[in-house]
Amino acid sequence: NTVEGLILIGKRLQTDIILNKSQKFLMDKSVKELKKKFELSTKYELDDLIVRLESFSQRLLHCYHYRRGDSVT
């Protein structure tokens, strides 16, 4: 997996630009399942990505319940 390899290199070399671009790619362009993105973000301790994915998953859940007509709080 190319992006995972880049993240590993970025972590080992402590290269913020590689980590930032990899996180941006995962959030904005990657077609990986949300579960896989969470796995990568927790495995490599990508806290910014974890926060963005959590926010995104909450919005998805909210939309799902809204479309079903459930009460959303």
Side-chain angles (χ1 to χ4, degrees):
N1 182 315
T2 304
V3 73
E4 187 171 3
L6 288 171
I7 292 169
L8 182 59
I9 291 169
K11 283 300 231 180
R12 286 193 177 157
L13 299 176
Q14 298 177 349
T15 309
D16 289 339
I17 193 161
I18 293 173
L19 293 172
N20 292 339
K21 287 190 178 265
S22 296
Q23 290 180 83
K24 182 166 178 42
F25 172 80
L26 283 171
M27 193 63 207
D28 299 337
K29 297 181 181 176
S30 176
V31 294
K32 291 185 183 305
E33 293 181 4
L34 192 56
K35 179 181 175 185
K36 181 63 176 173
K37 292 177 184 183
F38 268 115
E39 289 171 357
L40 288 172
S41 63
T42 54
K43 179 178 180 179
Y44 294 104
E45 300 174 342
L46 303 172
D47 295 333
D48 292 341
L49 183 57
I50 292 170
V51 169
R52 289 184 69 191
L53 290 171
E54 286 174 343
S55 175
F56 179 72
S57 65
Q58 286 297 319
R59 288 192 314 265
L60 281 178
L61 187 60
H62 179 66
C63 290
Y64 170 77
H65 287 292
Y66 178 79
R67 293 193 75 192
R68 283 187 39 177
D70 296 343
S71 176
V72 181
T73 56

